[in-house]
Amino acid sequence: MQRGKRLLNSAVLTAAATLVVGWSLPVHAASLKLMFQGDPYEVTAITDVAKRFEVANPGVSVELINTPHDAYNEKFGAMASAKALPDIMELDAPFLANYVWSGYLQPLKGLVDDAVISDMTASNVSQGTYPVDGKLYATGLSDSTVALYASRKQLESLNIRIPTSVEDAWTKDEFEGALQKLADSGVKWPIDLFRAYGTKTEWITYAYEPALVSAGCDLIDRKAWKAKGTLDSDACVAITQEMASWVKKGWVVPQSAGQNQFYAKDRMAGLAWGGHWVYADAHAAMGDDLVVLPLPKFGEKSASPNGTWIYAISKTASDPAMAGKFLSFMLTDKAYRKAYADHSSFPGLKSFAAESPLYAAKGAMALAYEQAGKSAVPRPPHPGYPTITLAFQVAMTNIFDGADAKTELAKAAKKIDEDIDDNSGYPPFGN
């Protein structure tokens, strides 16, 4: 009876509306809450695209919950505890497995346009997929990678070979030979590993894990989901010792020296092991002398990181279909895409890469884009990832500061396995 009454009221209102020129009823009424973080340009881009979506969908409102990056996970945890999750949320890709396992997210199939999903790069699909069921739970315009940055003139003057493809990447010996030549030439610090980002930061896991994977080991066994025997293996001990030797020799920019010594005045660092976001400022300072190289191979294969902040729809979303419609609208919106392209955003959609002179064929960052397609390895997609990453951050910081690699990696592996055991293996993982 109530439903019939509502239909009658709607009919009366529709008839009345014909008497008012230019007035029409909302096609679909909905109120969406979107939680996100980002730099000022991202806040502007998201705010603007939300307004355009509201105009295109009369009756729909989008409430923006802009949360500072450093407080984001804490805020999300509080909302989850209060059972007040937003309809759409931005999340850091390596935490996706934890969120899905915890029951916070729902699959995107049938909600986000198929055209958007089919446009995702393999690396983007990887960062948004839950390994247990193989379903896609998050998507985004962007992905990420880390590359080596160098001065072409400097490398040529020292007769250091310049790789031109992922397959052509420096070997471990070539890479360390380049560091030695740079040191011998008088460069204060042959390489910036961006230790200035901090000692307990996701950068450590994100940027340094690929060296472990390339050397033949990992943070955890991705089938048995045990860290002991993998993280503290001989291969991991050897590569972390090798990296620590660069610090001991004085080759690495110390944390106290601050960021961007590679392209800052006087160029105090010869190479930079930096995220794709380094390119814009480095190019502004160095111009066409800047050259982008693939990460070195420390073993038989190349490896590079991926993963960034991507968007998901909560399981408790008030209108999942409208939430999916918003994501589809946002990711295809020209002005939104331009804002990210203007800031050298790394493509997570193939069409976005084709639109960008920077990442398109023969673009300055084309090699970095190629690297993501060929060697990207997501951080362990496991519900225990928060413990995995923190344990590794502590271990690597201590190792770089002179602690014994075997001891530190064994402690980290023990901490990770204890967390997994305390959670009964995080079933169905490990079953």
Side-chain angles (χ1 to χ4, degrees), residues 318-396:
S318 59
D319 191 333
M322 187 58 67
K325 186 176 182 179
F326 173 81
L327 289 180
S328 301
F329 181 94
M330 181 176 73
L331 297 179
T332 55
D333 182 81
K334 290 182 179 180
Y336 176 82
R337 290 164 75 120
K338 184 179 185 303
Y340 281 80
D342 288 347
H343 286 79
S344 307
S345 184
F346 193 86
L349 298 181
K350 289 172 277 190
S351 62
F352 186 47
E355 294 169 2
S356 172
L358 193 59
Y359 295 99
K362 298 183 179 180
M365 286 284 281
L367 193 149
Y369 184 65
E370 173 198 350
Q371 175 182 258
K374 292 181 176 179
S375 68
V377 178
R379 282 155 281 178
H382 188 274
Y385 183 76
T387 298
I388 294 170
T389 185
L390 182 58
F392 183 65
Q393 290 166 25
V394 172
M396 282 304 299

Side-chain angles (χ1 to χ4, degrees), residues 1-10:
M1 179 63 69
Q2 181 65 29
R3 179 177 177 84
K5 182 179 180 181
R6 288 167 61 192
L7 288 173
L8 176 61
N9 289 343
S10 183

Side-chain angles (χ1 to χ4, degrees), residues 98 251 256 266 272-273 295 322 360 362 418 428:
N98 181 276
W251 287 353
S256 59
D266 298 327
W273 183 295
L295 292 180
M322 187 58 67
K362 298 183 179 180
E418 285 177 347

